[in-house]
Amino acid sequence: MKVHVLGSGAGGGFPQWNCNCANCAKFRSGELVAHARTQSSITVSADGIDWVLINASPDIREQIGAFPPLQPGRAVRDTGIRAVILMDSQIDHTTGLLSLREGDTLDLYCTDRVYEDLTTGFPVLDMLGHYCGVNWHPIPINGESFTIPSIEALVFTAVPLSSKAPPYSPHRKDPRAGDNIGLRVEDPVSARNLFYAPGLGQMEDHLLPYMENADCLLVDGTLWTDDEMQRRGVGHKLGSEMGHLSQSEPGGIIDLLRPLRKPRKVLIHINNTNPILDENSTERAQLKKEGIEVAHDGMDILL
């Protein structure tokens, strides 16, 4: 199985277009040793030819342009993207669908709850009905696995995560299973698997077997501390209010990953305020000591 990181940043990417926080300002001035990042999305393939896009960020055009396997190569109009899986209905994971409107009908996989959001509060799927159209395939959240035509060599399993629906969702104040998922992607031939969870608000008992038995974890690395945005002077919300578990605090991502022996551990969905973006920071050194990597745009993982 081939995994390619199209985008590794949180909403707004890095540097964020309107942000002058210490990270963004120092990156622009050349003082920060760091990689620029587009908004988070990955793509997976069994053969390197046919790919599943997992989340469609607003930066999708730039991301396709940076990854030749998704570009046209077999016909006048063509793409390596065979289907799209959505982890949630957040604007930074779904807006890129509009940039795919010139192609053939989209095979889209998402939960009932996400489909409801994208046909009501943020009706992007209704909009696409006037262009390419969408074939919706409901994702089961009861532990049942599914496959995708033309990519049958990979097996997908959705795992419900506790989170909040977006502000525009009709059920914003009524969180339920299916608002946000983690995704297990398995290659039965190699018997290896990826667990992908860019939005992880809290650890739940049913997640542990998936994480313990993964060969690679790509998990939420949004914020170093829960109050990071307040500390950086760029907002008032806590990470926990946005559905993200901090890394450094007791019970956070580092504590969660430390006892896991099997998987390769990689953080993704890094906010522009996070000190781990600075490759020379003490925070980045702490992650390295813990055996935790930080994803970057263009990163390839072979499983």
Side-chain angles (χ1 to χ4, degrees):
M1 173 169 53
K2 301 174 186 293
V3 182
H4 182 80
V5 176
L6 293 166
S8 55
F14 174 70
Q16 186 170 305
W17 67 277
N18 67 336
C19 186
N20 202 37
C21 71
N23 280 348
C24 292
K26 288 181 179 179
F27 182 84
R28 292 191 185 98
S29 68
E31 299 174 65
L32 196 73
V33 179
H35 287 82
R37 285 170 161 80
T38 57
Q39 294 167 90
S40 73
S41 175
I42 67 170
T43 187
V44 299
S45 174
D47 59 10
I49 299 172
D50 299 310
W51 295 80
V52 179
L53 178 65
I54 304 179
N55 288 338
S57 89
D59 300 315
I60 187 62
R61 187 180 184 281
E62 177 183 349
Q63 292 167 347
I64 291 173
F67 190 50
L70 300 188
Q71 298 168 18
R74 291 156 289 194
V76 176
R77 289 272 177 113
D78 177 50
T79 178
I81 299 170
R82 293 288 166 260
V84 181
I85 295 176
L86 299 178
M87 309 289 284
D88 53 47
S89 56
Q90 297 288 344
I91 199 166
D92 50 331
H93 290 160
T94 59
T95 312
L97 293 171
L98 294 173
S99 295
L100 304 178
R101 66 189 180 278
E102 294 93 353
D104 294 332
T105 303
L106 284 175
D107 279 302
L108 182 72
Y109 293 75
C110 66
T111 67
D112 293 347
R113 297 281 282 186
V114 169
Y115 182 80
E116 180 185 348
D117 287 349
L118 299 182
T119 52
T120 55
F122 180 38
V124 62
L125 302 188
D126 295 338
M127 297 177 205
L128 288 172
H130 297 281
Y131 297 92
C132 60
V134 173
N135 285 331
W136 173 50
H137 306 269
I139 290 180
I141 56 172
N142 59 359
E144 180 182 345
S145 298
F146 64 96
T147 58
I148 294 174
S150 80
I151 317 198
E152 290 90 348
L154 298 180
V155 179
F156 302 87
T157 308
V159 185
L161 304 178
S162 292
S163 186
K164 287 185 177 180
Y168 43 79
S169 171
H171 51 268
R172 167 71 169 178
K173 297 182 179 180
D174 179 29
R176 294 183 189 174
D179 288 333
N180 184 25
I181 61 169
L183 191 69
R184 183 178 191 261
V185 187
E186 180 184 10
D187 182 342
V189 174
S190 67
R192 306 191 77 195
N193 76 89
L194 166 78
F195 186 69
Y196 180 50
L200 186 60
Q202 64 184 69
M203 183 57 186
E204 301 168 275
D205 290 342
H206 71 275
L207 296 179
L208 189 57
Y210 289 96
M211 299 181 74
E212 286 179 326
N213 294 310
D215 293 288
C216 182
L217 293 171
L218 265 174
V219 296
D220 194 334
T222 307
L223 301 172
W224 185 252
T225 60
D226 194 37
D227 64 349
E228 179 179 302
M229 295 183 68
Q230 295 176 0
R231 292 188 187 194
R232 295 281 188 163
V234 299
H236 302 289
K237 289 185 177 180
L238 299 173
S240 53
E241 293 174 331
M242 299 184 290
H244 297 289
L245 189 62
S246 71
Q247 289 155 45
S248 64
E249 294 169 323
I253 294 291
I254 293 175
D255 283 353
L256 175 63
L257 297 182
R258 185 177 292 120
L260 304 181
R261 300 303 176 203
K262 180 181 178 181
R264 177 181 177 182
K265 307 164 187 177
V266 186
L267 300 181
I268 196 167
H269 197 271
I270 317 300
N271 200 58
N272 63 293
T273 55
N274 196 323
I276 68 172
L277 289 170
D278 180 353
E279 297 178 16
N280 292 331
S281 65
T282 56
E283 292 84 359
R284 190 65 168 264
Q286 183 177 342
L287 290 181
K288 185 176 181 179
K289 185 178 180 181
E290 295 280 355
I292 300 172
E293 301 174 58
V294 179
H296 57 83
D297 291 22
M299 183 179 194
D300 286 305
I301 298 170
L302 183 64
L303 295 173

